[in-house]
Amino acid sequence: MSVSITAVAATPERIVLPGGVVPLHYALTLTPDASKLAFTGSVQIDLDVKQATRSIQLNAADLTFTKVSLPGISETPSVTFDGEHETATLSFKSPVSAGRHRLDIEYTGKISQHAAGFFALDYDTASGKQRALFTQLENSDARRVLPCWDEPGIKASFTLTAVVPAAEMALSNTPAVKTTPLAGGLARVEFAPTPKMSSYLLFFGLGDFERISKKVDGVDVGVVVKRGDADKAKFVLDAAVQLLPWYEDYFGVKYPLAKLDLVGGPGQSQFFGAMENWGAIFSFERALILDPKISTEEDLRRVYIITAHEMAHQWFGDLVTMEWWDDLWLNEGFASWMEYKATDHFHPEWKPWLDSVSAKENAMRLDARDGSHPIVTPIYDVLQASQAFDSITYSKGQAIVRMLEAYVGEDAFRQGVRAYIKAHAYGNTVTDDLWRELDKASKESITQVAHDFTLQAGIPLVQADCNETGLRLTQARFTADGAGQPAGNWHVPVNIASVDGTPLWHGFVSADKPVDVPLKSGVVPLVNAGQGGYYRVLYDGPSFGRLAARFEDLSPTDQLGLLNDSQALGYAGYESLTDFLQLTRHASANLDPMVTRTLVDQLEELDSLYEGLPGQAAFKAYGRKTLAPVFAKVGWDGKPGEDQNITLLRSDLLGALGKFNDPDVVKEAHARFAKYLKDPASLNADLRQAVLDIVADHADAATWDQLHALAQAATSNLEKRQLYVYLGSAHDPALVQKALALSLTEEVPTTTRPAILAATSNYYPELALDFLSAHEKLFESLIEPASRNRFGPRLAASARDTAIIAKLRTYAERNIPESARSDVTKAEAAITENARIREKRLPQVDAWLKTHAG
Ligand code: BES
Ligand code: ZN
């Protein structure tokens, strides 16, 4: 038996507020002055003082208190601020008695130009520049908007009042209940009280907006966008209206607020696209509106799936919230699973579960390296909390939920979720609260399996070795370098079927309990059939060969599984990378387009690992040879009514063939671009994007200038941002320098400036990191505080040469607080892996190509 691992205990050293005084209700008034990027606030907080105390500590950051009082207590407390911990401590000479009190604070604060706290997004309109205001408070920036107990476990209700220009639309979590005109063109808008909720879910927005809405199940569902964009918001409104009743049914609880708005902001962040504020989901426009001229099929699906994700949070996250950031995955892992589940219900033709397999693959990349962490992981302070929004939390999280759902069955799983939501509504939880309800709802206990996969990092490796009587299954640990980390032990639920899908066996395999599965002779077994399990499978050579020979007979999901496992096993050296290369020879227009898309991605990834090596040209030739016949079937121009998955595949194929320097594709892309410049209607949105991808990558100075002119001339905010980012993706180093220089100027929309720098890092990570280091202060002002610690590591992570690591460390020492360096560790591990693959595995590819190219 494995050692049973118990749930992580609360870390005593967490940086949190002292208990003893808790808020019950906040009555908050905000008076923004958008032109001055400043606001005044006034808050009355109803407090429950548990024991008499001389000091009250709460969170506040970048706020200036102008008046502090407790009505009924004549003493004015002295206030000290702690900038590092973002707290304010009120000290009293005589103790404040136990019981109810009210704390009144008047203060001023700042409006920033990046998505943290209270922030502004500027955009151009036909009648000049406009400024819209929003708030973004997760993970811990409510303290920049009001003095408060800014921890997810401390819930209270809020009533917000805002004093705003009467002509603008003000929004919050709840509907406005009263609007009073004031002198000077202002109005006071009072919003209905919220239910008890965590501070990170509060929302305020203000601007020259339009709202479209529909009523569903008594809920007023709306989309709020800048004036003129209402038509582009219809798709997402319909999606929300479709999803809401389905979620009410799934969770077994009615949507608890009177309205749900989806609010769009013109801009972008390097780190998130949308935020689940209760009753007022915020999304950057790219995740919300669709412009028929430029939005692709992929954009449309992204809008749907993000909406599904943020709406799932309205229950799982907002109504029931994790107690502390250790259990962030309860929010993000669950919502990431639910986005596929809900999308699969309404759009099975998109094959969302195949996307979930790809998401699992992303997580496994990280989870196989140093710097990974368990899904449930101790979080010390709020800086660490922002680092927890990673692919372990999201994508491993969703994969484990999926695995457990498959294990207990859909119905039992839903019943457990319903019981969990009901038991903890308006409250807070830890991960074991979920396991408890699932255990009660299902025939078998899941806690052991769940603990194995959430409390230890890493990936089980199931080895499947055929012998005369059947299959011997053993379990070890899969690591990116094939060794080096401690072995792990998991109760892995394993599912075996034959190639044609007939179930053969299911049961547990763990390191201390190998299993022998008897098989009839001639049967070709497929382990992890359906790909529901979070583990890799290593077959003995002949078994792999038999499976590979039957590749076409496998389901698309299992084809993906085989491709992913064999590439990863080859990278890590468990088997030769040529096993994977053999599989790429199955590329054909007859495969499911979603499988071919993965194959295309995998070839592109290998190409980027080859960047600058002598073997790259031969690899590119192989890529062309493999994909050109598929593209010949798919063609440049879609047939009316074609499967939209082919549309996606076409874009991917064009992108890859462009990267592989396919002369016909590159030439045709330039020709179509030239035509597009004269007649923008000549390219539909999907082809427009594919063509821009290619010409931006292959741009010469003249093309780059044309793209630049397009960016300057674009009137749509969405389009402008996209075009500026293309300028950073050129391969020509001289053009990259021009793009970097541009990112220093105010010509580029503020939040897009870091995005240009990020785009240059694909080809030139070292240059990008050097540039960031040379302009630290500037980029610090352009990026949200919590995200700054991730930006530098992100630029470096795609590097293929370990030389950059020393630079990254120097950068980190200067710019990243010690508790917030986990992205640095993750980036170093990724770079080390890239370099190792180049050194050790690409020579295998070189050799293979000599016999298989031509
Ligand atoms: N809660 C997050 C947004 C967030 C992330 C806020 C990090 C603060 C820090 C939201 O629910 C989310 O996960 N958004 C995703 C989209 C989703 C479909 C994966 C995003 O914005 O990328
Ligand atoms: Zn989320």
Side-chain angles (χ1 to χ4, degrees):
M1 264 319 283
S2 73
V3 213
S4 139
I5 314 161
T6 49
V8 182
T11 39
E13 71 277 21
R14 271 180 198 165
I15 304 288
V16 290
L17 295 167
V21 179
V22 290
L24 303 170
H25 181 76
Y26 298 89
L28 170 66
T29 304
L30 293 176
T31 308
D33 183 342
S35 67
K36 294 211 173 75
L37 290 174
F39 68 97
T40 61
S42 147
V43 66
Q44 287 109 46
I45 313 176
D46 295 334
L47 296 179
D48 182 9
V49 177
K50 302 255 168 73
Q51 307 121 12
T53 179
R54 283 203 162 80
S55 96
I56 298 176
Q57 195 180 95
L58 70 175
N59 292 112
D62 287 335
L63 301 179
T64 307
F65 291 5
T66 47
K67 194 166 166 226
V68 179
S69 62
L70 270 76
I73 293 182
S74 53
E75 182 188 341
T76 304
S78 68
V79 185
T80 51
F81 290 92
D82 177 337
E84 188 194 338
H85 295 118
E86 303 182 327
T87 56
T89 304
L90 319 184
S91 305
F92 299 83
K93 290 201 185 74
S94 30
V96 178
S97 59
R100 299 289 170 89
H101 289 276
R102 206 180 86 192
L103 167 62
D104 292 359
I105 303 180
E106 285 170 30
Y107 61 99
T108 60
K110 293 180 201 146
I111 297 176
S112 66
Q113 289 191 280
H114 46 242
F118 207 168
F119 71 101
L121 291 174
D122 295 348
Y123 57 98
D124 294 323
T125 69
S127 51
K129 266 215 181 304
Q130 279 280 356
R131 174 165 284 173
L133 302 180
F134 307 91
T135 58
Q136 168 57 35
L137 307 189
E138 194 179 16
N139 49 319
S140 305
D141 289 321
R143 60 192 66 177
R144 294 174 201 281
V145 178
L146 75 157
C148 62
W149 277 255
D150 194 14
E151 292 169 15
I154 306 181
K155 291 193 174 188
S157 52
F158 294 79
T159 44
L160 177 64
T161 300
V163 178
V164 298
E168 295 192 359
M169 189 186 293
L171 298 155
S172 187
N173 307 76
T174 50
V177 284
K178 191 170 166 207
T179 301
T180 318
L182 303 174
L186 296 176
R188 176 186 298 110
V189 183
E190 294 167 52
F191 295 93
T194 71
K196 264 181 81 179
M197 65 180 200
S198 306
S199 53
Y200 77 90
L201 294 170
L202 185 68
F203 178 78
F204 177 66
L206 175 70
D208 183 22
F209 297 144
E210 269 186 89
R211 180 175 193 270
I212 57 172
S213 65
K214 281 187 185 166
K215 212 148 183 129
V216 56
D217 239 357
V219 181
D220 176 20
V221 178
V223 184
V224 179
V225 289
K226 57 190 193 327
R227 184 170 302 287
D229 282 347
D231 280 347
K232 300 176 191 163
K234 286 186 175 147
F235 174 81
V236 77
L237 178 62
D238 289 340
V241 164
Q242 182 180 58
L243 287 161
L244 189 114
W246 190 82
Y247 278 142
E248 290 185 321
D249 175 56
Y250 191 91
F251 291 114
V253 176
K254 290 276 170 211
Y255 175 74
L257 303 177
K259 65 94 180 168
L260 171 62
D261 282 321
L262 297 144
V263 185
Q268 64 198 89
S269 149
Q270 286 304 299
F271 298 93
F272 75 102
M275 172 66 207
E276 70 267 24
N277 314 299
W278 213 0
I281 294 168
F282 171 82
S283 303
F284 287 106
E285 286 181 347
R286 210 172 85 87
L288 191 80
I289 62 174
L290 295 173
D291 176 343
K293 286 205 294 291
I294 64 166
S295 301
T296 60
E297 175 68 14
E298 180 128 41
D299 292 331
L300 177 141
R301 293 187 189 184
R302 182 182 335 102
V303 166
Y304 192 94
I305 209 160
I306 291 181
T307 303
H309 176 109
E310 305 309 338
M311 284 180 68
H313 278 314
Q314 302 298 303
W315 288 262
F316 219 103
D318 297 0
L319 180 59
V320 181
T321 314
M322 71 267 151
E323 176 70 33
W324 179 247
W325 304 107
D326 291 14
D327 289 299
L328 175 65
W329 91 283
L330 277 177
N331 267 12
E332 300 302 350
F334 188 91
S336 297
W337 167 78
M338 188 49 112
E339 77 193 33
Y340 300 119
K341 178 103 185 154
T343 303
D344 183 59
H345 181 79
F346 290 107
H347 288 286
E349 75 284 7
W350 294 351
K351 311 198 177 173
W353 290 120
L354 295 182
D355 288 336
S356 110
V357 172
S358 303
K360 177 178 74 173
E361 183 60 24
N362 263 338
M364 283 187 168
R365 286 295 173 85
L366 175 54
D367 208 12
R369 297 182 195 127
D370 292 345
S372 185
H373 58 85
I375 285 183
V376 177
T377 194
I379 298 292
Y380 164 74
D381 62 6
V382 298
L383 289 177
Q384 268 190 1
S386 19
Q387 313 238 303
F389 291 82
D390 68 0
S391 62
I392 296 298
T393 301
Y394 279 76
S395 304
K396 183 174 180 178
Q398 66 85 24
I400 300 310
V401 173
R402 187 169 181 222
M403 183 169 83
L404 295 173
E405 188 206 25
Y407 180 57
V408 302
E410 265 187 287
D411 291 341
F413 189 84
R414 184 183 56 218
Q415 206 186 314
V417 170
R418 285 180 178 170
Y420 167 86
I421 295 282
K422 196 162 164 217
H424 301 287
Y426 306 101
N428 292 90
T429 55
V430 293
T431 298
D432 273 350
D433 294 324
L434 179 60
W435 304 150
R436 191 173 318 111
E437 296 303 335
L438 289 172
D439 270 354
K440 278 195 246 165
S442 70
K443 285 203 252 21
E444 286 163 277
S445 164
I446 60 146
T447 298
Q448 178 73 60
V449 184
H451 278 181
D452 284 0
F453 283 89
T454 53
L455 300 180
Q456 61 184 336
I459 308 164
L461 175 70
V462 171
Q463 273 173 266
D465 295 296
C466 260
N467 49 39
E468 305 78 61
T469 56
L471 202 57
R472 182 163 181 85
L473 300 174
T474 51
Q475 184 244 289
R477 178 175 182 164
F478 174 84
T479 59
D481 59 357
Q485 287 170 341
N489 196 16
W490 291 262
H491 288 77
V492 186
V494 171
N495 191 22
I496 304 179
S498 67
V499 170
D500 61 14
T502 316
L504 294 177
W505 184 84
H506 65 95
F508 284 100
V509 179
S510 35
D512 51 6
K513 233 188 182 174
V515 178
D516 284 298
V517 179
L519 287 180
K520 292 211 189 75
S521 75
V523 173
V524 180
L526 173 74
V527 182
N528 201 8
Q531 293 303 308
Y534 188 81
Y535 56 93
R536 296 215 186 269
V537 185
L538 175 61
Y539 296 93
D540 64 86
S543 298
F544 179 82
R546 281 191 290 274
L547 259 185
R550 302 281 304 274
F551 188 79
E552 272 77 15
D553 300 331
L554 298 175
S555 71
T557 317
D558 291 318
Q559 289 173 336
L560 278 191
L562 206 60
L563 285 168
N564 289 338
D565 277 353
S566 72
Q567 189 186 37
L569 291 162
Y571 279 165
Y574 289 90
E575 60 188 28
S576 168
L577 195 52
T578 56
D579 283 359
F580 165 72
L581 292 169
Q582 293 289 359
L583 291 180
T584 64
R585 304 177 77 201
H586 293 274
S588 109
N590 300 325
L591 292 180
D592 187 298
M594 302 304 267
V595 174
T596 314
R597 292 185 72 203
T598 294
L599 221 151
V600 170
D601 279 355
Q602 291 178 312
L603 290 173
E604 273 195 74
E605 187 191 66
L606 265 171
D607 175 53
S608 85
L609 286 165
Y610 257 119
E611 186 68 17
L613 291 179
Q616 190 175 25
F619 183 78
K620 282 189 193 288
Y622 177 72
R624 293 195 296 272
K625 187 183 116 179
T626 308
L627 298 183
V630 187
F631 183 66
K633 289 252 168 72
V634 169
W636 271 92
D637 298 293
K639 295 148 203 75
E642 80 177 351
D643 173 0
Q644 292 291 288
N645 294 339
I646 300 276
T647 312
L648 297 181
L649 173 61
R650 174 178 298 112
S651 301
D652 287 3
L653 284 168
L654 282 170
L657 288 167
K659 288 261 185 269
F660 301 157
N661 301 329
D662 184 288
D664 295 341
V665 162
V666 174
K667 195 167 148 225
E668 178 69 12
H670 277 105
R672 290 189 181 229
F673 180 61
K675 198 160 162 211
Y676 172 78
L677 290 176
K678 294 201 196 81
D679 173 17
S682 67
L683 287 178
N684 68 39
D686 288 282
L687 273 185
R688 171 185 167 278
Q689 183 143 321
V691 164
L692 287 174
D693 278 344
I694 297 171
V695 296
D697 183 14
H698 289 264
D700 56 16
T703 311
W704 196 92
D705 288 341
Q706 282 163 333
L707 286 168
H708 187 192
L710 283 181
Q712 287 170 318
T715 50
S716 137
N717 179 68
L718 205 57
E719 185 175 7
K720 201 178 195 65
R721 278 160 212 283
Q722 183 199 45
L723 288 164
Y724 271 113
V725 176
Y726 272 128
L727 297 177
S729 63
H731 202 181
D732 180 338
L735 300 176
V736 170
Q737 292 294 356
K738 282 172 76 170
L740 289 173
L742 202 57
S743 78
L744 298 177
T745 71
E746 290 186 4
E747 174 191 326
V748 183
T750 316
T751 54
T752 302
R753 292 167 62 183
I756 294 184
L757 176 52
T760 67
S761 75
N762 279 333
Y763 282 125
Y764 302 103
E766 195 159 346
L767 185 65
L769 184 65
D770 288 345
F771 193 80
L772 175 66
S773 305
H775 302 280
E776 268 161 23
K777 283 281 158 294
L778 172 72
F779 283 97
E780 198 180 298
S781 74
L782 295 175
I783 299 174
E784 314 86 82
S787 307
R788 283 173 204 153
N789 304 327
R790 319 189 68 179
F791 190 67
R794 168 92 58 97
L795 297 182
S798 60
R800 294 154 278 260
D801 187 333
T802 50
I804 200 175
I805 290 178
K807 285 190 179 175
L808 178 60
R809 287 190 184 161
T810 313
Y811 173 83
E813 268 154 35
R814 260 201 326 272
N815 296 286
I816 306 181
E818 220 171 313
S819 77
R821 291 194 191 147
S822 73
D823 279 47
V824 177
T825 316
K826 290 176 198 165
E828 287 182 15
I831 298 161
T832 308
E833 184 184 356
N834 290 343
R836 188 175 48 237
I837 294 171
R838 271 161 81 89
E839 186 201 341
K840 299 221 166 102
R841 315 293 172 222
L842 295 189
Q844 297 172 343
V845 182
D846 294 336
W848 188 85
L849 288 176
K850 292 216 170 79
T851 47
H852 292 84

